[in-house]
Amino acid sequence: MRISLIFKLTIATCLILLVFMLFFSYINITTIKTMLLKEAISEADKFGETIIKTTHYEMLENRRERAYEMIQKVGTLQGIDHIRMINKNGKITFSTEMDEIGRHLNKKEAGCNMCHTDNELKVHASTMNRSRVFINKRGKQVLGIAKAIYNEEGCYLSACHSHSPEQRTLGVLDVIVSLDNMNMQVGDYRNKIVFLILLLLISVSLTITFSIHRLVNLPLKGLLAQTQKLSQGDLDARLQNRSNDEMGELSEAFNQMTTSLKSARLEVTEWGKNLEAKVSERTREIRQMQTQLIRSEKLVSLGRLVAGIAHEINNPLTGILMFAKLTSNSPNLDPFLKKDLAVIINETNRCAKIVNGLLDFSRESIPQKKPASLNNIMEATLALIGQQSIFHNIHFVRGYQPDLPLIPIDENQIEQVFINILLNAGQSIPSGGTIRIETFTENGEFNCVKITDTGTGITEENIERIFDPFFTTKNDRGAGLGLSISYGIIERHGGRIEVQSDVREGTTFTIKLPLFPQGGD
Ligand SMILES: Nc1ncnc2c1ncn2[C@@H]1O[C@H](COP(=O)(O)OP(=O)(O)OP(=O)(O)O)[C@@H](O)[C@H]1O
Ligand SMILES: [Mg+2]
């Protein structure tokens, strides 16, 4: 069962207060009761004294009946239970309660035993000792005070001579007064105290409930709600408590904690994103390197094979070409055969060209590097091939970086690369278009040449293979060696060639050559 904090605190405080108040009230009421009783004893004693003094003369005159009559009248006063006179033998000689007149009292009886102790008579017992509180025959609480009537000089010298001078006391006047009034006052006082205690408990419990609700419960509920939000991942949860106390400090600490948590989560997310980007970047680089490595290995082994074959084919080809030319120049030759021989010479030339290309590809000649400007080499290349028929319908757009730094390169080899790429671009634009040539520096690390054509573009399937030797889509017009030779040259310069193509828009080749090649010349 859930018991609220407020309830527990209120009950505990009220219980402590109740115990304390009950103890306090008990002490208080007991003290007041004792004071009132002392007051009543003193009053009753004075009353007895007054009776003795008033009846003194009548007694001296031995007019007992007259004295008893006076006492009878006094006994009817409010608050007086009854008054009686007892003689030295313990006989009740007079009482306002008639039925007890003539009864003998025992010395041990209440009212007598205060003075008659151990067969000895204490004549001057204190007022307190002479008083007693008891329940009368009507069931009411009363106070009795016995007062000795002394045998004074006037008594034993009076005319009646009924008392001898040796006698010290003549009897006792016993005044019994009602304690109803005192009990009523005490009762009233007790009721007031009970009422005050109740009032105090109610106001204390209300004050505690209200204060705890306002100062503790409400802020705690807010904290609980925001903590639940936080546990569900809402890091924007904030507390609005601005109070200048512990609750305010707790709220402030909570807000600081959520702010730190939020920034930590942001950091982690950001870190995760960066990591993802870095991983994919590295993966791309590794894939590129892997492709390059495979391509390089392929090129090296293929180069060796091709070198052998080309060398072996070159000699017979030279022989075929020489004899075909000699025969073709013979004056006795049948003109029909002359036509066939022209075809043989043409095709042999084509073979020789391919064999030369193969030799170029396989030669792996070490670049003869010296500082040169890529802008200048490009301009020289354009001057060399720009007049060819395939470029007639093509518009060249130049975007050179004017202050492009010189870099160590083999001018002839780089020129060959430019020729290969420009020829390919021109061949891909059969019915006119644009070739855009840009040069620029990248990250202070590379000099770049970007050649963009508006040609047919390369399919995704083919783009993986364009650097492979003998890969061509140009049927008998191409040997498929231009790009693989170019790739080898750029690689030997410590650079790289990148290609990006869209079948609808065209192709871009980017050649990147290092400003400071590793193991540079
Ligand atoms: N700019 C380009 N636009 C479209 N396709 C291209 C482009 N450059 C290269 N290619 C494709 O790449 C293939 C390989 O080119 P590469 O230069 O190696 O050989 P080739 O041009 O076919 O023959 P070769 O250059 O030996 O005469 C081409 O056949 C062509 O399909
Ligand atoms: Mg080509």
Side-chain angles (χ1 to χ4, degrees):
M1 191 179 78
R2 186 179 179 275
I3 302 174
S4 73
L5 193 71
I6 295 184
F7 183 74
K8 285 184 202 163
L9 220 75
T10 312
I11 289 292
T13 316
C14 286
L15 272 179
I16 292 169
L17 260 177
L18 187 68
V19 169
F20 181 75
M21 292 305 291
L22 283 179
F23 178 70
F24 171 78
S25 309
Y26 174 75
I27 301 279
N28 205 357
I29 290 170
T30 317
T31 312
I32 293 234
K33 207 171 172 180
T34 313
M35 277 165 57
L36 286 176
L37 191 64
K38 276 185 183 168
E39 181 76 19
I41 290 170
S42 161
E43 287 297 317
D45 194 43
K46 277 184 206 153
F47 185 65
E49 187 69 37
T50 312
I51 292 173
I52 292 170
K53 290 255 160 70
T54 333
T55 54
H56 185 70
Y57 179 72
E58 302 297 338
M59 284 302 196
L60 286 183
E61 289 295 309
N62 205 15
R63 288 202 294 266
R64 283 172 186 265
E65 293 312 316
R66 178 92 182 99
Y68 291 159
E69 203 177 309
M70 282 171 70
I71 295 171
Q72 183 74 44
K73 273 188 188 163
V74 170
T76 58
L77 287 175
Q78 203 196 353
I80 306 296
D81 188 77
H82 68 283
I83 305 167
R84 59 189 184 177
M85 289 188 96
I86 303 135
N87 69 9
K88 62 178 170 38
N89 301 321
K91 184 187 170 188
I92 302 173
T93 52
F94 171 75
S95 172
T96 51
E97 288 187 349
M98 296 300 187
D99 55 337
E100 65 171 1
I101 296 174
R103 194 157 70 85
H104 273 87
L105 294 177
N106 188 334
K107 284 179 185 168
K108 298 233 161 44
E109 227 175 277
C112 307
N113 58 4
M114 303 93 81
C115 299
H116 295 278
T117 52
D118 306 328
N119 292 332
E120 200 186 314
L121 180 66
K122 278 189 196 166
V123 182
H124 294 293
S126 71
T127 319
M128 282 306 285
N129 282 347
R130 285 186 283 109
S131 65
R132 67 201 186 279
V133 174
F134 62 98
I135 305 294
N136 68 6
K137 58 186 175 194
R138 287 179 291 282
K140 295 264 180 194
Q141 197 183 33
V142 289
L143 165 72
I145 184 150
K147 195 155 178 62
I149 304 164
Y150 295 106
N151 188 12
E152 292 168 7
E153 199 179 331
C155 299
Y156 55 79
L157 292 179
S158 68
C160 61
H161 293 292
S162 56
H163 307 298
S164 72
E166 287 78 34
Q167 198 177 337
R168 283 159 69 193
T169 53
L170 301 177
V172 168
L173 176 76
D174 195 16
V175 177
I176 294 112
V177 294
S178 166
L179 287 178
D180 279 357
N181 194 29
M182 183 195 85
N183 285 338
M184 217 167 70
Q185 280 185 41
V186 172
D188 268 1
Y189 184 72
R190 190 180 47 226
N191 289 346
K192 272 180 195 157
I193 292 255
V194 169
F195 174 73
L196 279 175
I197 289 177
L198 282 178
L199 198 69
L200 184 78
L201 287 181
I202 290 170
S203 32
V204 164
S205 53
L206 281 178
T207 312
I208 290 177
T209 309
F210 179 74
S211 331
I212 293 180
H213 180 70
R214 285 253 332 122
L215 301 174
V216 180
N217 218 22
L218 282 182
L220 271 186
K221 267 187 184 162
L223 183 66
L224 201 68
Q226 299 304 325
T227 312
Q228 273 164 357
K229 274 190 191 173
L230 197 69
S231 69
Q232 283 158 9
D234 179 5
L235 294 185
D236 288 320
R238 292 286 183 281
L239 283 169
Q240 298 302 329
N241 191 351
R242 299 264 171 274
S243 55
N244 192 17
D245 55 16
E246 287 83 349
M247 280 297 168
E249 284 168 19
L250 188 66
S251 305
E252 190 56 43
F254 177 87
N255 289 346
Q256 273 174 10
M257 183 185 78
T258 44
T259 311
S260 313
L261 271 178
K262 194 174 175 181
S263 63
R265 187 161 81 176
L266 272 178
E267 253 173 52
V268 169
T269 319
E270 205 54 38
W271 194 76
K273 272 187 204 157
N274 283 347
L275 194 70
E276 233 170 77
K278 272 186 185 152
V279 166
S280 53
E281 168 76 359
R282 284 272 176 275
T283 314
R284 201 178 59 78
E285 277 176 18
I286 289 170
R287 265 205 206 118
Q288 234 172 32
M289 277 166 67
Q290 207 177 16
T291 320
Q292 273 179 359
L293 209 70
I294 293 169
R295 196 171 283 148
S296 305
E297 278 175 10
K298 233 174 13 182
L299 287 180
V300 168
S301 50
L302 207 76
R304 282 191 199 122
L305 180 76
V306 162
I309 297 170
H311 189 73
E312 290 303 315
I313 292 175
N314 213 15
N315 291 339
L317 268 185
T318 318
I320 292 169
L321 198 61
M322 196 178 76
F323 281 104
K325 277 182 179 169
L326 280 175
T327 314
S328 163
N329 291 335
S330 167
N332 303 326
L333 191 68
D334 185 341
F336 187 71
L337 283 176
K338 200 170 181 158
K339 237 169 106 188
D340 288 348
L341 272 173
V343 173
I344 290 172
I345 290 166
N346 208 17
E347 288 304 306
T348 312
N349 269 332
R350 210 164 86 84
C351 284
K353 206 175 144 197
I354 291 172
V355 169
N356 278 334
L358 284 176
L359 283 172
D360 274 350
F361 164 71
S362 62
R363 211 169 277 138
E364 285 189 19
S365 51
I366 297 157
Q368 302 301 312
K369 293 182 190 172
K370 55 178 193 245
S373 157
L374 287 178
N375 290 349
N376 293 345
I377 298 172
M378 180 56 80
E379 277 306 300
T381 311
L382 286 174
L384 193 71
I385 61 164
Q387 300 308 317
Q388 287 191 15
S389 59
I390 58 162
F391 295 114
H392 278 170
N393 291 329
I394 289 168
H395 176 56
F396 285 97
V397 179
R398 291 168 176 82
Y400 298 155
Q401 181 179 311
D403 56 350
L404 200 69
L406 303 182
I407 48 170
I409 43 175
D410 184 322
E411 279 188 54
N412 290 331
Q413 287 189 3
I414 297 299
E415 189 179 87
Q416 199 190 340
V417 172
F418 289 168
I419 290 172
N420 287 340
I421 291 173
L422 286 169
L423 280 178
N424 281 346
Q427 284 160 0
S428 76
I429 313 172
S431 49
T434 309
I435 294 177
R436 182 178 173 79
I437 304 159
E438 291 164 90
T439 58
F440 54 91
T441 314
E442 189 182 81
N443 301 334
E445 264 187 85
F446 294 101
N447 265 359
C448 305
V449 180
K450 198 172 176 179
I451 301 166
T452 308
D453 66 57
T454 55
T456 51
I458 310 166
T459 60
E460 236 177 85
E461 190 191 342
N462 285 348
I463 210 158
E464 299 287 319
R465 303 167 62 199
I466 55 168
F467 293 104
D468 290 353
F470 307 115
F471 174 78
T472 179
T473 55
K474 295 170 190 166
N475 300 325
D476 54 340
R477 281 198 302 121
L481 285 171
L483 284 182
S484 49
I485 290 170
S486 305
Y487 189 89
I489 292 172
I490 298 298
E491 201 186 39
R492 285 193 291 276
H493 276 79
R496 55 179 189 257
I497 303 184
E498 288 168 7
V499 60
Q500 192 265 320
S501 184
D502 191 312
V503 188
R504 286 175 306 274
E505 288 174 14
T507 309
T508 301
F509 279 91
T510 310
I511 301 153
K512 297 184 175 182
L513 289 163
L515 264 66
F516 312 102
Q518 282 177 354
D521 305 353

